[in-house]
Amino acid sequence: MRQASGDDLEGVCALWLELTRHHARLDPHFELRPGAEDEARRLLAAQLGDPDSAVFVLGAAAEQGAGAAPLEGLAIARVDRAPPIHPETCRAEISDLFVAPAARRRGAGRALARAAAAWAEARGAERLEVRVSPHNPEGQAFWRALGYGAHMDVLHRRL
Ligand SMILES: CC(C)(COP(=O)(O)OP(=O)(O)OC[C@H]1O[C@@H](n2cnc3c(N)ncnc32)[C@H](O)[C@@H]1OP(=O)(O)O)[C@@H](O)C(=O)NCCC(=O)NCCS
């Protein structure tokens, strides 16, 4: 478990695409546009360089060379600050969490979420949010097992 750097971009991108394809199988809303890989790479490169974001990965550092095993897990977190209107002025979100199928149910997801939470807390976040689809029963079970509960229903309607 370690915080990723810009050197991890290719491995992070590969896991992020795997996660997004997983979500697309559950809900077509998450399908990728043709050519989305380049856009995703740009977005992830920006997150890797943003002090208000952190990417945690499970796996060997990229500098171990082309022979290094692929990354097995990924968590992306971001802190958001708000003007001082409510008591809470800083919260965080884990926007992406993925563990490769072969590495599941061994505590990796829990460790990634814990690392992201510790990072967010150290930056002043008072609360951590995650968005999880109702079509994703394993994600629902995972977050609830870690003590996360409903906060706000997001309603939507196709236009
Ligand atoms: C959700 C995910 C990250 C869990 O990773 P993991 O490494 O298997 O999780 P852990 O081993 O740390 O599990 C912690 C606890 O979560 C719960 N849990 C995890 N996966 C579960 C599943 N498939 N069904 C029911 N409960 C589950 C269990 O209580 C588990 O504890 P236990 O193994 O002691 O029973 C992984 O299944 C994954 O990447 N899924 C696809 C992507 C995804 O859905 N991400 C979350 C999107 S919001």
Side-chain angles (χ1 to χ4, degrees), residues 2-61:
R2 62 192 173 82
Q3 191 166 346
S5 72
D7 292 342
D8 292 296
L9 180 59
E10 289 314 312
V12 165
C13 201
L15 273 193
W16 187 89
L17 289 169
E18 211 180 316
L19 167 64
T20 304
R21 290 185 183 114
H22 168 84
H23 284 316
R25 285 191 291 275
L26 301 174
D27 184 340
H29 175 78
F30 295 104
E31 272 168 21
L32 289 163
R33 286 172 181 251
E37 287 81 358
D38 288 345
E39 196 59 46
R41 187 172 288 102
R42 274 193 287 278
L43 182 75
L44 292 164
Q47 283 179 315
L48 284 164
D50 177 357
D52 281 339
S53 289
V55 181
F56 293 90
V57 290
L58 200 61

Side-chain angles (χ1 to χ4, degrees), residues 109-128:
R110 195 186 287 272
L112 284 161
R114 193 178 290 147
W119 172 86
E121 201 175 353
R123 265 145 201 83
E126 297 162 71
R127 194 166 55 82
L128 192 44

Side-chain angles (χ1 to χ4, degrees), residues 14-159:
L15 273 193
W16 187 89
L17 289 169
E18 211 180 316
L19 167 64
T20 304
R21 290 185 183 114
H22 168 84
H23 284 316
R25 285 191 291 275
L26 301 174
D27 184 340
H29 175 78
F30 295 104
E31 272 168 21
L32 289 163
R33 286 172 181 251
E37 287 81 358
D38 288 345
E39 196 59 46
R41 187 172 288 102
R42 274 193 287 278
L43 182 75
L44 292 164
Q47 283 179 315
L48 284 164
D50 177 357
D52 281 339
S53 289
V55 181
F56 293 90
V57 290
L58 200 61
E63 60 265 25
Q64 292 196 350
L71 297 177
E72 289 192 308
L74 166 80
I76 304 180
R78 184 187 72 238
V79 291
D80 281 323
R81 292 180 185 83
I85 294 170
H86 301 293
E88 176 188 291
T89 57
C90 185
R91 63 165 191 168
E93 179 177 354
I94 297 181
S95 57
D96 305 85
L97 177 71
F98 184 71
V99 174
R104 288 185 190 162
R105 297 310 284 267
R106 284 191 247 133
R110 195 186 287 272
L112 284 161
R114 193 178 290 147
W119 172 86
E121 201 175 353
R123 265 145 201 83
E126 297 162 71
R127 194 166 55 82
L128 192 44
E129 288 187 2
V130 298
R131 284 177 159 233
V132 53
S133 163
H135 305 297
N136 183 359
E138 64 190 356
Q140 291 278 352
F142 171 80
W143 287 116
R144 286 167 203 279
L146 268 65
Y148 289 71
H151 167 56
M152 191 82 81
D153 285 337
V154 177
L155 308 185
H156 78 154
R157 181 171 74 89
R158 291 258 161 242
L159 300 176

